[in-house]
Amino acid sequence: MNFLHANETELAHLTQRQIAQKLNTSAESLSRVLRELKSQGVLNTQKGKIILKA
């Protein structure tokens, strides 16, 4: 979440794979975390892009 908040303006231009690379993790691991955050209502995804909810 810290990375997402710190890079919120870049999220529209980054793919999930690019974010995973920046975090030095696998795309699969990032996907699992994003799915959990989405189920908690913290964020949404649209066409592979991450949108943080206020």
Side-chain angles (χ1 to χ4, degrees):
M1 280 306 299
N2 290 334
F3 176 85
L4 297 177
H5 283 296
N7 296 284
E8 190 169 357
T9 57
E10 293 181 38
L11 291 180
H13 306 291
L14 294 173
T15 64
Q16 291 181 18
R17 184 165 302 282
Q18 290 170 323
I19 293 169
Q21 289 173 341
K22 287 180 179 271
L23 293 171
N24 199 29
T25 189
S26 70
E28 294 80 11
S29 293
L30 177 65
S31 179
R32 284 191 292 272
V33 170
L34 292 177
R35 187 172 42 248
E36 178 63 29
L37 292 172
K38 190 174 179 180
S39 73
Q40 294 174 9
V42 176
L43 59 82
N44 199 357
T45 56
Q46 185 175 16
K47 296 183 181 178
K49 303 298 179 186
I50 300 167
I51 303 163
L52 296 177
K53 294 186 176 180

